Amino acid sequence: MILPLPSAKFPVLLGEDVIRQRINELAADIATQYSGKKITSLTVLEGASYFSRDLRERLANRGADVVNYDITAKSYVGTSSTGVVQVSGVDGEIRGADVLVIEDIIDTGRTMAAVTEQLRHAGASSVRICSLLDKPSRRLDGLRGLRPDFCAFTVDDLFVIGYGLDFNGQYRDLRDICIYR
Ligand code: IMP
Ligand code: MG
């Protein structure tokens, strides 16, 4: 499905082996915490699509019961957040569900705040966030308490691309997570 491009043009922040290893650990942690429960994962397209697929494959290998739906949440143009978040795809399957939101990166926190609020509104019985990356130094003042329940890596205030993360639609297919500069 993914035809990885070489990352040569950009400095590598997290290489594919490091990413793979960390996702194995995350899957083990998630499978343990949801033991005996069905997980309703909501993958935030498009950035989290590769991460989510790899994570769900590992969860399935551990016997976890996962049903996935894709949602979209748009807030970004170029390298700066616009402040307005449009969420779509959250529908009737949510009531009573144990929802795991799978996101690529938490930056200001606006997207995850908007998504989790909609999910609570839709009657989810629990809502947890699993983010590939977290940039806590970028969090808006009012959203400092917003933290992922599961997170692969914390990163500094850098714009990153690859492994699903894009810059205006480009570079998602890089196999490593790289610094855009
Ligand atoms: P937030 O709403 O400010 O937390 O932004 C979250 C969204 O912005 C993420 O889901 C990404 O799509 C995008 N984003 C934030 N930082 C980066 C980055 O460094 N690279 C690529 N996309 C980013
Ligand atoms: Mg995103």
Side-chain angles (χ1 to χ4, degrees):
M1 166 185 167
I2 167 172
L3 287 175
L5 301 172
S7 305
K9 223 174 118 184
F10 301 100
V12 174
L13 182 65
L14 297 157
E16 61 173 329
D17 293 343
V18 173
I19 298 169
R20 190 180 308 121
Q21 175 55 34
R22 185 69 187 115
I23 292 177
N24 283 334
E25 293 169 6
L26 270 188
D29 190 12
I30 293 169
T32 304
Q33 296 215 27
Y34 283 87
S35 167
K37 282 186 180 172
K38 175 171 146 185
I39 303 171
T40 298
S41 71
L42 295 187
T43 301
V44 186
L45 296 181
E46 295 176 33
S49 55
Y50 299 154
F51 170 50
S52 177
R53 184 203 56 187
D54 288 345
L55 180 68
R56 284 183 285 119
E57 182 180 284
R58 264 72 146 205
L59 285 169
N61 290 343
R62 290 172 182 279
D65 182 11
V66 185
V67 57
N68 182 69
Y69 302 95
D70 291 333
I71 63 170
T72 61
K74 296 230 178 284
S75 72
Y76 245 70
V77 176
T79 58
S80 64
S81 182
T82 60
V84 184
V85 181
Q86 284 183 316
V87 183
S88 53
V90 175
D91 59 23
E93 325 277 350
I94 301 305
R95 184 157 301 279
D98 291 301
V99 176
L100 183 65
V101 181
I102 304 182
E103 173 63 308
D104 54 359
I105 186 165
I106 308 181
D107 185 56
T108 64
R110 281 192 189 105
T111 305
M112 278 305 96
V115 169
T116 52
E117 198 204 290
Q118 277 214 16
L119 291 170
R120 296 215 172 81
H121 218 80
S125 103
S126 67
V127 179
R128 290 203 261 185
I129 301 171
C130 177
S131 189
L132 172 64
L133 303 172
D134 186 18
K135 280 196 237 177
S137 64
R138 290 265 307 154
R139 207 74 91 248
L140 291 178
D141 280 344
L143 297 177
R144 294 233 181 269
L146 193 151
R147 295 207 182 92
D149 300 276
F150 307 94
C151 175
F153 306 99
T154 298
V155 295
D156 293 334
D157 183 7
L158 300 163
F159 198 84
V160 290
I161 52 172
Y163 193 59
L165 292 123
D166 72 308
F167 172 72
N168 280 346
Q170 273 188 292
Y171 312 120
R172 280 191 206 285
D173 293 343
L174 298 178
R175 63 178 81 210
D176 307 305
I177 295 172
C178 300
I179 301 167
Y180 180 80
R181 65 172 181 224

